[in-house]
Amino acid sequence: MIPGWIGFTVSAALFQCWRTAQQQKLRGQLSVNAAGVVRYLYGVPVGLLILGLYAAIFGGALPPLTWPVLALCAIGGFGQILGTNLLIMAFGHRNFAVGTAYSKTEAMQAAIVATLLLDEHLSLFSWLGIAVGVGGVLYLSLAGRGTSPAELLRGVTQPAALCGIGAGFCFGVTGVLIKMANQAMPGSDLIFKALLILVITNALQTLMQGSYLAWKEPTQFRAVFATWRDSAQVGALSALGSACWFSAFALAPVALVRAVGQVEILFTLVFSRFYLREKAKRADVVGALVVVSGVVLVLWGSR
């Protein structure tokens, strides 16, 4: 039987890919910050619905919310906001390929942070799988863009690269902090706690980024509600994806979850091929096989 965390991780990657596709509809209607707010604002009611359904089926009582848990949710939520903005900033710099590629080091950075903060120890096969998977994702990110490994190394101090590395670091740290919040929250039902943490985190993210948007971009703040039909879909998919991510973090080491989550790029290729009718390049096939090999090694090492 497939372990639950693998099912949650693959589902999370699928929902994230789907959400990204849906979010493309909002690119011409909302600013960067407004597009971020819709993920959290419209995600809160969906998260509450998921939490309610889980409690109705499996039971569960609300545990006391302590300041450490709320602080971890707030810092983790802010890390996700910051990581998203850094990634978009990386896209805005001239060397798009370098910024994107460096952001894909998230799995490796998450493994290092989890080792330091959570004392998570991985097998040699898992570390090798993470490295292979990151290599495959880097290859896919750079394929056809004329950026060699030497150029990538020389460009490590470029603004795009720094923003990309920063984005990957923020996303990696966010996963670790969310797991720490789950561990700090009273109760034995890890999934119930993960769903509750999702609702708390999304509510805090709405407050943080929503307040900033209302202050700095009042026109965009109103647009968040004017575009509710498309925005609600993005929020719902974001909540579903985060519910799966948070549940996977609760059940398995963060590094393994992030490593297996790299299958998202495979879903992106499938979406491109069968929905957008784009032909797959040889480099895409090679990169996809490398990513799959990395995931297999991770799973082999986690047995």
Side-chain angles (χ1 to χ4, degrees):
M1 180 179 291
I2 298 176
W5 72 269
I6 297 178
F8 279 127
T9 302
V10 173
S11 299
L14 177 59
F15 283 127
Q16 186 164 303
C17 179
W18 191 358
R19 186 258 301 165
T20 301
Q22 285 295 113
Q23 205 163 17
Q24 298 305 312
K25 295 182 180 180
L26 298 174
R27 288 183 64 183
Q29 305 176 61
L30 299 177
S31 67
V32 172
N33 284 306
V37 168
V38 302
R39 290 179 55 188
Y40 315 127
L41 173 65
Y42 291 102
V44 170
V46 177
L48 283 169
L49 178 61
I50 297 171
L51 177 64
L53 288 173
Y54 183 89
I57 297 172
F58 300 103
L62 292 177
L65 298 180
T66 63
W67 285 112
V69 171
L70 291 175
L72 287 167
C73 290
I75 299 171
F78 180 75
Q80 187 178 44
I81 293 172
L82 183 59
T84 300
N85 284 356
L86 282 171
L87 185 58
I88 294 172
M89 287 171 62
F91 294 163
H93 290 289
R94 186 178 63 178
N95 202 329
F96 172 87
V98 171
T100 305
Y102 273 115
S103 72
K104 301 303 183 183
T105 62
E106 172 195 348
M108 184 63 73
Q109 294 193 69
I112 295 171
V113 173
T115 299
L116 295 175
L117 297 183
L118 295 175
D119 198 29
E120 293 182 349
H121 296 289
L122 305 179
S123 69
L124 180 60
F125 271 114
S126 292
W127 278 109
L128 180 61
I130 291 172
V132 170
V134 169
V137 175
L138 285 172
Y139 182 79
L140 282 169
S141 300
L142 299 174
R145 298 186 183 276
T147 303
S148 67
E151 291 173 326
L152 190 66
L153 185 61
R154 287 196 299 270
V156 71
T157 57
Q158 294 178 3
L162 295 176
C163 288
I165 292 171
F169 178 76
C170 287
F171 291 140
V173 170
T174 293
V176 171
L177 292 174
I178 292 303
K179 176 152 192 161
M180 291 174 66
N182 195 299
Q183 293 175 339
M185 180 178 285
S188 58
D189 190 333
L190 298 178
I191 304 301
F192 180 82
K193 292 195 294 180
L195 297 177
L196 178 58
I197 287 170
L198 166 64
V199 174
I200 295 171
T201 303
N202 276 354
L204 291 172
Q205 287 172 313
T206 302
L207 181 62
M208 288 186 285
Q209 198 165 18
S211 298
Y212 179 85
L213 187 69
W215 176 40
K216 287 291 188 179
E217 304 176 53
T219 303
Q220 285 294 308
F221 184 77
R222 292 189 291 271
V224 165
F225 298 96
T227 60
W228 67 270
R229 286 182 177 83
D230 290 333
S231 296
Q233 295 178 47
V234 171
L237 290 170
S238 179
L240 288 167
S242 294
C244 292
W245 282 124
F246 287 18
S247 298
F249 292 149
L251 297 175
V254 174
L256 296 184
V257 173
R258 286 303 192 190
V260 175
Q262 291 178 123
V263 298
E264 178 195 352
I265 201 163
L266 304 183
F267 292 137
T268 301
L269 292 176
V270 171
F271 179 86
S272 172
R273 174 67 181 88
F274 294 101
Y275 183 75
L276 299 179
R277 302 296 180 184
E278 296 174 347
K279 292 184 177 180
K281 301 175 183 177
R282 181 176 177 274
D284 294 336
V285 176
V286 173
L289 291 174
V290 174
V291 172
V292 170
S293 299
V295 171
V296 169
L297 282 171
V298 168
L299 296 178
W300 181 271
S302 66
R303 294 189 309 165

